[in-house]
Amino acid sequence: MKALVYVTLKKTVLDPQGATIARALNGMGHPEIASVRQGKYFEIELAEGTTKEQAAANLDKIAADVLSNPVIEEYKVEIAG
Amino acid sequence: MKALVYVTLKKTVLDPQGATIARALNGMGHPEIASVRQGKYFEIELAEGTTKEQAAANLDKIAADVLSNPVIEEYKVEIAG
């Protein structure tokens, strides 16, 4: 079973790295780019025999405790069949 | 309009960072984690008036030229309404 975890900065947190990318793209002839925010993305392979419910519960805990910083980041977990 | 770009290492490229996360999780009482691969994730806001076709074409170019390294990475672009 495979799970995807997306970690992004909270909307209220400034993202200077994303802002720099947006400015660079604007300067490279892409004026249509209004803003960019960068996040992290994890593809997690789970051992066979893990149930979907176990996976969802465990990954929620892992995303909150290890993969993201709850003070400034939020996360989304997707379990892919 | 909003677009999402996912950049991941190609399957054939080793991901030591992901391997370290997987090992750490195994040691923290999550033996069900078989492997982890880390990637980047960009949320891109496009200026109003950009058509879906323009956005798809431009973002494909941006993802290939700027956001990813085509030698070791692959990307996926999603245009979200």
Side-chain angles (χ1 to χ4, degrees), chain A residues 21-54:
Chain A
I21 296 171
R23 215 163 34 237
L25 289 172
N26 289 160
M28 288 168 73
H30 293 289
E32 77 279 12
I33 305 297
S35 81
V36 176
R37 289 182 76 80
Q38 187 173 356
K40 285 175 287 185
Y41 165 68
F42 300 90
E43 283 184 11
I44 300 177
E45 194 67 52
L46 293 153
E48 289 193 28
T50 315
T51 68
K52 208 155 178 167
E53 291 70 34
Q54 277 180 327

Side-chain angles (χ1 to χ4, degrees), chain A residues 2 4 6-8 11 21 25 28 30-48 50 54 58-59 61-62 65-67 76, chain B residues 2 4 6-8 11 21 25 28 30-48 50 54 58-59 61-62 65-67 76:
Chain A
K2 205 169 164 181
L4 305 176
Y6 306 92
V7 178
T8 47
K11 291 279 170 281
I21 296 171
L25 289 172
M28 288 168 73
H30 293 289
E32 77 279 12
I33 305 297
S35 81
V36 176
R37 289 182 76 80
Q38 187 173 356
K40 285 175 287 185
Y41 165 68
F42 300 90
E43 283 184 11
I44 300 177
E45 194 67 52
L46 293 153
E48 289 193 28
T50 315
Q54 277 180 327
N58 285 346
L59 279 165
K61 196 168 157 43
I62 288 172
D65 293 350
V66 183
L67 302 180
K76 196 176 74 186
Chain B
K2 204 168 163 183
L4 304 176
Y6 306 92
V7 177
T8 47
K11 291 278 169 282
I21 297 171
L25 288 172
M28 288 167 73
H30 292 290
E32 77 279 13
I33 304 295
S35 80
V36 176
R37 290 181 76 80
Q38 187 172 357
K40 284 175 289 185
Y41 165 65
F42 300 89
E43 284 183 11
I44 300 177
E45 195 66 51
L46 293 153
E48 290 194 27
T50 316
Q54 278 179 326
N58 285 346
L59 278 165
K61 195 168 157 42
I62 287 172
D65 293 351
V66 183
L67 301 180
K76 194 176 74 186

